[in-house]
Amino acid sequence: MRPNHSGIGASRNRAIAGLLTCAALIVPVSLRADEAQPLRLCADPTNLPFSSDSPSQPGFYVEIGQALAQALGRPIAFDWYKSYFGKRTLRVTLLGKQCDAMIGLPRSEDFMGPAVIFSNAFAKQGYALVAAKGQALDGIDGLKGKRVAVQFASTPQNLLASRDDIQKVTVLSPEQGMQALDQGKADVAFIWGPVAGWLNKTSYGDRYQIQLTEGEGLSWDAAIGFAKTSTELRDRVDAVLPQLQGTIGALAVKYGLPTGQPARFGATRAMPAGTTTGTGPGATQTANVVATETKGDAAAPAAEAVGSGKEIFNGTCAHCHGPDAIQSERKIDLRLLRHRYGDEMREKFWTTVHEGRPTKGMPAWKEVFTDEQFDHIFSFLVTVQSESND
């Protein structure tokens, strides 16, 4: 299916080095485009800095894909699919054989294994500390006495929750974290690094320093994911990845991704399965890296429905309604559905998820999920209802 590339010489390496200045894919003269199957990549069309269907700003992962296809001697094609559908995205695209690979998945057997296999790591992604240039921030002790913007229900918020000597400024997104910093409401922002770097570069004139962090739940190795049957393609990708490291490094700088030595943090409390970590709907390509497949013995049908509903909810709904439906903003707190609607709770749920509430930012999901999946989501929501009106 893919031509042997072992005979391609130094001219190919020069072509790869020049990829950043060339927007179009260059197919080697020894291979006509109609003689090679395209390398099909899954990608989100609106998830910068990682991916975009805009030719002028394709994104970090898209440009890595272009360089990878160049090195493999294959044309390239993209299967665009919104990544905020969580694991459903991979099941529909990658495991549904609509594409050959997805760039930017966590290199972890706990992530949809063994259905998905991974290349060697090509980068590290995670949360970062953002502050005015010149500040020395070295781990959690460097945050003492400071006002720190943390995203609601994120690993940084969990990490700092027990520290009374650090003032927490809760925000709902990396964008709000950067705004709090810029408006003087916070001294440091402890937020999703790639988005912080991208915003710093595109909106804030590169005036902040951004330091990647590492520790449990704070960072992970990014890799390329394949269906478990694609071991040959995975091995060939691993063979060419080393020669792309210079290109990948240059692309990280281009898109403002944090680089350099990370700050080390101690143990953190585990995030709920499926917790989002990025900018909202477009961030799940990295947001779901902390999610794990449900494991254990077979459960009763009701428990299976609840588990399935929880997974769908955390993969799709959590960016607005909070992981595990934990949400401090009452008007979108789904734990109060029974309190609000009583016996009409199911009817209100059904109407809302099917038809949406466009004027309030709630899309219609009837073309996305089946009625059985809606039933599972509702079964999960029943388990988290609270009668409190506090």
Side-chain angles (χ1 to χ4, degrees):
M1 185 173 176
R2 191 190 60 183
N4 190 327
H5 63 279
S6 60
I8 299 175
S11 60
R12 172 62 52 75
N13 294 331
R14 289 193 295 272
I16 294 170
L19 182 64
L20 290 177
T21 61
C22 180
L25 176 68
I26 303 173
V27 178
V29 294
S30 59
L31 292 170
R32 287 170 30 209
D34 60 355
E35 292 178 337
Q37 292 292 331
L39 177 66
R40 302 173 304 157
L41 295 179
C42 321
D44 190 314
T46 56
N47 191 26
L48 286 171
F50 294 117
S51 61
S52 166
D53 59 3
S54 169
S56 62
Q57 287 185 328
F60 182 55
Y61 292 157
V62 169
E63 292 207 46
I64 289 175
Q66 292 170 340
L68 180 62
Q70 172 81 10
L72 293 173
R74 294 174 62 169
I76 193 169
F78 290 97
D79 182 55
W80 302 110
Y81 195 94
K82 289 284 190 179
S83 61
Y84 61 80
F85 296 127
K87 294 180 181 179
R88 176 184 171 87
T89 298
L90 271 73
R91 294 189 180 109
V92 170
T93 57
L94 185 64
L95 302 184
K97 300 182 179 180
Q98 293 187 21
C99 56
D100 304 312
M102 176 176 278
I103 298 176
L105 297 182
R107 193 173 188 274
S108 170
E109 293 182 358
D110 288 334
F111 183 74
M112 296 193 71
V116 177
I117 58 176
F118 304 95
S119 71
N120 292 328
F122 64 83
K124 187 175 286 291
Q125 307 291 4
Y127 291 95
L129 298 171
V130 187
K133 290 184 176 180
Q135 288 196 43
L137 301 173
D138 186 16
I140 195 167
D141 288 338
L143 302 178
K144 286 182 180 180
K146 298 185 184 298
R147 298 168 301 163
V148 181
V150 290
Q151 189 173 344
F152 174 71
S154 67
T155 303
Q157 186 184 52
N158 292 341
L159 178 67
L160 302 184
S162 61
R163 295 295 297 256
D164 294 333
D165 55 350
I166 299 172
Q167 182 180 340
K168 278 74 69 178
V169 179
T170 303
V171 297
L172 297 179
S173 68
E175 288 88 348
Q176 288 187 9
M178 293 296 289
Q179 290 170 5
L181 188 65
D182 195 59
Q183 294 169 2
K185 298 177 181 178
D187 305 307
V188 180
F190 194 175
I191 54 179
W192 187 233
V195 176
W198 173 246
L199 292 173
N200 186 44
K201 187 177 184 68
T202 59
S203 301
Y204 294 97
D206 197 33
R207 62 176 173 267
Y208 295 107
Q209 65 179 26
I210 301 180
Q211 184 177 17
L212 190 67
T213 64
E214 63 179 4
E216 182 185 352
L218 290 173
S219 64
W220 51 83
D221 291 329
I224 303 169
F226 309 85
K228 64 180 179 180
T229 55
S230 300
T231 54
E232 181 182 358
L233 176 59
R234 187 271 312 277
D235 292 345
R236 293 190 178 187
V237 167
D238 277 342
V240 300
L241 271 178
Q243 72 190 65
L244 298 181
Q245 285 308 304
T247 297
I248 292 171
L251 287 171
V253 173
K254 175 180 178 179
Y255 287 97
L257 273 63
T259 58
Q261 187 68 27
R264 177 70 189 176
F265 283 77
T268 64
R269 286 181 281 180
M271 292 285 287
T275 297
T276 57
T277 56
T279 60
T284 311
Q285 194 163 332
T286 54
N288 273 343
V289 296
V290 294
T292 56
E293 289 290 332
T294 302
K295 298 179 176 67
D297 298 331
E304 289 180 355
V306 171
S308 172
K310 179 178 179 179
E311 179 180 331
I312 297 170
F313 183 92
N314 280 334
T316 304
C317 314
H319 68 272
C320 284
H321 296 287
D324 290 346
I326 298 173
Q327 171 59 257
S328 59
E329 191 173 349
R330 289 182 61 82
K331 66 181 180 179
I332 55 174
D333 187 347
L334 300 186
R335 296 171 297 176
L336 299 176
L337 289 175
R338 182 181 288 127
H339 174 77
R340 293 192 189 104
Y341 303 116
D343 293 340
E344 296 181 354
M345 172 181 163
R346 179 178 175 82
E347 179 184 349
K348 291 291 186 181
F349 167 82
W350 206 256
T351 300
T352 302
V353 296
H354 273 76
E355 306 302 329
R357 291 180 176 175
T359 60
K360 297 185 177 182
M362 170 70 178
W365 296 97
K366 60 185 176 182
E367 302 299 329
V368 177
F369 296 115
T370 65
D371 285 351
E372 181 182 31
Q373 289 172 314
F374 285 134
D375 274 332
H376 290 178
I377 296 172
F378 184 79
S379 295
F380 162 66
L381 289 176
V382 168
T383 69
V384 300
Q385 292 305 297
S386 170
E387 296 299 334
S388 172
N389 192 31
D390 295 335

